[in-house]
Amino acid sequence: MSRYTDRVPDRRPYLAIVLVLSAIGTFLATLGSPWFGLAAVTLAPVGSKCAANLFWPLAQSTLDLKVTAAGLAVVNSLGNLGGFVSPTLFGYLEETTGSTNGGLYALSAASLLATAGVYFIRRAGGGRGGVEAAAPAPVRTASG
């Protein structure tokens, strides 16, 4: 997926597709037999791992050079915070409802919320001009 999207001008539609794939896999895990749930829950990580591979280049190409490091640090910090909040919320929903379905529904909703957020990311070409490198600054000599 990453290799394919390196050749397209806008990764956002592909990122949205794999996030929806992750949401569908998580949602389908709540239906049917345990074997069907196992097959569905293996679909979810395919979508989320592809989404991670598409997100980071998109984030780097849309941020201005002056704030790229700080912006990526904020994104990474929020991701680490999600590593605590998600299992805690999942456990709370399981304890409250007596089933893992509530937690799986919440994970599906989070993927769909991320899908909606993809379209708020400005298109590559604003901050650093997309994939192209910036032109070097002219060299000033002592005489000019």
Side-chain angles (χ1 to χ4, degrees):
M1 181 63 84
S2 297
R3 187 178 307 163
Y4 173 73
T5 59
D6 282 344
R7 294 182 226 130
V8 297
D10 191 10
R11 294 175 197 245
R12 292 179 305 161
Y14 301 98
L15 179 56
I17 289 168
V18 296
L19 284 169
V20 168
L21 178 72
S22 178
I24 289 171
T26 306
F27 178 76
L28 288 178
T30 64
L31 308 174
S33 70
W35 288 108
F36 179 77
L38 178 64
V41 87
T42 57
L43 186 65
V46 170
S48 63
K49 289 299 180 183
C50 285
N53 290 334
L54 297 178
F55 172 75
W56 287 110
L58 184 68
Q60 291 174 4
S61 68
T62 56
L63 291 174
D64 189 61
L65 281 175
K66 297 173 187 167
V67 297
T68 299
L72 294 179
V74 168
V75 169
N76 201 13
S77 297
L78 290 173
N80 286 335
L81 185 60
F84 168 75
V85 171
S86 180
T88 304
L89 179 64
F90 193 95
Y92 173 77
L93 290 172
E94 182 181 2
E95 216 172 83
T96 303
T97 63
S99 172
T100 58
N101 289 354
L104 292 172
Y105 293 146
L107 289 174
S108 293
S111 290
L112 293 176
L113 186 65
T115 303
V118 164
Y119 289 101
F120 290 110
I121 298 173
R122 65 185 168 134
R123 188 164 183 189
R128 286 194 280 187
V131 182
E132 302 87 22
V139 178
R140 295 185 184 235
T141 62
S143 62

